[in-house]
Amino acid sequence: MLITAETPIKFDRKKQKDDTLLKLYKNILKPRMIEEKMLLLLRQGRIAKWFSGIGQEAISVGVASALNKDEFILPMHRNLGVFTTREIPLNRLFSQFQGKPGGFTQGRDRSFHFGTQDYKIVGMISHLGPQLGVADGIALADKLKKDKKVTVVFSGDGGASEGDFHESINTAAVWDLPVIFVIENNGYGLSTPSNEQFRCKSFADKAIGYGIEGVTVDGNNVLKVYETVKNLAESIRENPRPVILECVTFRMRGHEEASRNKICTERII
Ligand SMILES: Cc1ncc(C[n+]2csc(CCOP(=O)(O)OP(=O)(O)O)c2C)c(N)n1
């Protein structure tokens, strides 16, 4: 079945314990509360820039909750939920966002252009596709050390149109690197709608061309994302290989908040 942004969400807890469900709920609530605060701070001129992941939280939270804490995640600009699920203290996170010394880069960067080795997050330095090749490097090191770890790297659908996407996935396929390539398909590459950006029906289909597995899930269903990544990660740790995981979602706000920003009400397929 082709999963689209219009597919109704069906939550199936399967055998997940109450504790797990509660944790996922708390984890998904936190980034939304922070984002709402950020929109206020932006209007007050106390932060300069903000990329919104409102509506896409289930992907960041599902992925980060499913991995072990010592496994690297390489997020993009809409993955606040990765930072919060890794439990970065909020005073450090807000210091970073406001360019204060208590952050991670002494005020040199803003919004999501930072990482932290302490929490095994590799920051995006204003790049999209090039982030994918970094994940290959981490995964190669883990594989050579027989560390039984999986690395997760994020890309948007727009980032997936860059050349590095092809090079990174092809290399990971040939070298059997333990990477989950998460494609957040949110209907837009910056402000270009999907129908002007790519012709494929599903990003999971691209996996066929690389000779690897591809899976599509409803990216708005946190249980589905969590369960899928948990199962994939367990299998990849034992049997290292790359997998493309397409998470179908919808970007509810514009590209970034300093631009004129109307709330999107429909998705152009
Ligand atoms: C290598 C590189 N190319 C272009 C940009 C500028 N840029 C930042 S985000 C973006 C759009 C990305 O689209 P997509 O991956 O679909 O994510 P979205 O922002 O739509 O969620 C672009 C072109 C960049 N930061 N780095």
Side-chain angles (χ1 to χ4, degrees):
M1 186 183 82
L2 186 66
I3 296 173
T4 71
E6 283 74 36
T7 308
I9 302 182
K10 285 200 189 110
F11 291 107
D12 179 358
R13 69 179 290 172
K14 299 211 172 129
K15 289 190 177 140
Q16 304 295 354
K17 296 197 175 89
D18 287 353
D19 281 358
T20 308
L21 299 188
L22 206 55
K23 196 153 198 243
L24 286 172
Y25 175 65
K26 284 183 179 169
N27 282 348
I28 206 168
L29 201 58
K30 202 171 181 183
R32 176 65 65 95
M33 290 173 82
I34 292 177
E35 284 231 32
E36 284 171 358
K37 178 79 179 166
M38 285 306 173
L39 297 185
L40 280 177
L41 290 178
L42 198 72
R43 265 182 247 136
Q44 292 167 351
R46 289 162 72 191
I47 53 168
K49 193 165 187 167
W50 187 254
F51 291 97
S52 175
I54 285 185
Q56 301 184 205
E57 293 97 338
I59 304 171
S60 303
V61 170
V63 168
S65 304
L67 289 195
N68 295 332
K69 289 257 158 88
D70 62 352
E71 292 174 317
F72 271 101
I73 306 185
L74 295 84
M76 281 285 142
H77 47 296
R78 300 196 199 283
N79 299 123
L80 173 64
V82 167
F83 294 83
T84 52
T85 304
R86 280 272 156 111
E87 292 177 347
I88 294 182
L90 291 185
N91 62 330
R92 293 208 70 193
L93 207 51
F94 277 81
S95 296
Q96 176 68 28
F97 291 146
Q98 292 186 277
K100 290 180 178 172
F104 292 93
T105 58
Q106 286 77 44
R108 286 198 194 90
D109 306 81
R110 55 186 179 170
S111 69
F112 294 100
H113 298 121
F114 76 100
T116 152
Q117 290 280 338
D118 293 347
Y119 296 87
K120 299 281 180 276
I121 295 174
V122 176
M124 66 146 211
I125 314 297
S126 196
H127 51 202
L128 307 170
Q131 186 88 324
L132 303 172
V134 181
D136 280 3
I138 296 170
L140 178 61
D142 285 337
K143 192 175 169 181
L144 293 176
K145 288 188 281 178
K146 298 193 175 24
D147 266 354
K148 294 197 174 196
K149 286 183 186 165
V150 62
T151 296
V152 171
V153 61
F154 284 85
S155 170
D157 45 280
S161 299
E162 295 193 321
D164 289 77
F165 176 87
H166 165 69
E167 296 174 36
S168 310
I169 298 186
N170 192 57
T171 302
V174 173
W175 291 354
D176 291 319
L177 299 179
V179 184
I180 301 178
F181 294 93
V182 174
I183 317 296
E184 290 191 81
N185 182 357
N186 67 8
Y188 294 91
L190 212 153
S191 52
T192 306
S194 295
N195 64 347
E196 292 176 23
Q197 205 217 137
F198 54 84
R199 286 280 176 260
C200 62
K201 287 264 175 285
S202 133
F203 280 90
D205 288 349
K206 289 193 184 246
I208 302 166
Y210 298 105
I212 64 172
E213 289 162 64
V215 183
T216 300
V217 294
D218 181 346
N220 291 347
N221 185 336
V222 69
L223 281 179
K224 197 77 201 155
V225 176
Y226 172 75
E227 179 195 289
T228 305
V229 175
K230 210 162 177 47
N231 290 340
L232 281 175
E234 273 164 20
S235 162
I236 290 171
R237 284 180 202 118
E238 292 307 316
N239 172 22
R241 63 192 192 282
V243 173
I244 291 179
L245 173 62
E246 177 190 29
C247 297
V248 180
T249 184
F250 176 59
R251 169 140 62 77
M252 295 177 73
R253 299 189 64 88
H255 177 62
E256 64 91 19
E257 300 295 327
S259 326
R260 276 184 297 166
N261 189 0
K262 279 190 188 160
I263 291 177
C264 309
T265 51
E266 64 180 290
R267 178 176 162 140
I268 306 163
I269 305 276

